[in-house]
Amino acid sequence: MLRVRQSGNSLLAILVGMLAVMIAIAAGITFAWYYLESDKKHVPPIAYASFDPIVVRSSGFAIKTTIVLQTAPEEAAWVQGNKAALAVALQTALAGADIERVKTPEGVAYVQGLLRDAANKALQTRSVQEVLLTDYVLQLN
């Protein structure tokens, strides 16, 4: 029987070679994934529509705010087509805001939720995901 004697260096060379092959395979898979994904157009998961400033005055308060609606990208055209009706719904809701809740530390969040719900209810939809206030001034009379 013939015995082949391997030295420690040969075993080390085999292990290093196997590691190099595994790294090359991983790099090839990563490159292929990147190449295939780079051709896809990534659509942001949200779309925004901005409105002109809205001013509401009552005997107890005045509010001036600039509003941005957050929707899904596929709803952006719907928002643009219904912008006038949305502006009326937002202004009406703002005029009916509970001033005691507006004055609290959570007042901005209350107004945002009030406007979102009013816009969705007025147009019988769920397209308005969020209402963001980019400028917000409250004056108490």
Side-chain angles (χ1 to χ4, degrees):
M1 185 179 262
L2 180 65
R3 284 187 159 180
V4 177
R5 187 171 176 213
Q6 293 185 349
S7 70
N9 290 341
S10 298
L11 183 58
L12 183 62
I14 291 171
L15 290 175
V16 169
M18 289 175 54
L19 181 62
V21 168
M22 290 181 3
I23 290 172
I25 290 171
I29 291 171
T30 302
F31 177 75
W33 176 83
Y34 178 76
Y35 179 76
L36 294 173
E37 288 293 314
S38 67
D39 287 344
K40 293 181 181 177
K41 292 185 179 182
H42 295 284
V43 177
I46 52 179
Y48 296 101
S50 59
F51 286 75
D52 292 333
I54 295 175
V55 178
V56 172
R57 292 181 182 89
S58 75
S59 60
F61 66 94
I63 296 176
K64 178 182 178 185
T65 185
T66 304
I67 295 172
V68 175
L69 295 185
Q70 176 182 316
T71 62
E74 58 272 10
E75 301 289 344
W78 176 86
V79 170
Q80 292 304 319
N82 291 289
K83 206 164 187 181
L86 284 166
V88 169
L90 293 169
Q91 188 167 11
T92 302
L94 200 55
D98 178 358
I99 190 60
E100 294 306 315
R101 289 189 68 189
V102 171
K103 293 188 306 185
T104 67
E106 296 82 24
V108 172
Y110 159 71
V111 171
Q112 289 175 317
L114 173 76
L115 294 174
R116 179 198 60 229
D117 295 345
N120 282 327
K121 185 177 180 183
L123 281 97
Q124 299 176 352
T125 186
R126 298 293 297 153
S127 297
V128 178
Q129 295 173 347
E130 292 295 332
V131 172
L132 309 170
L133 307 178
T134 58
D135 293 311
Y136 182 73
V137 177
L138 171 65
Q139 178 182 344
L140 301 174
N141 297 335

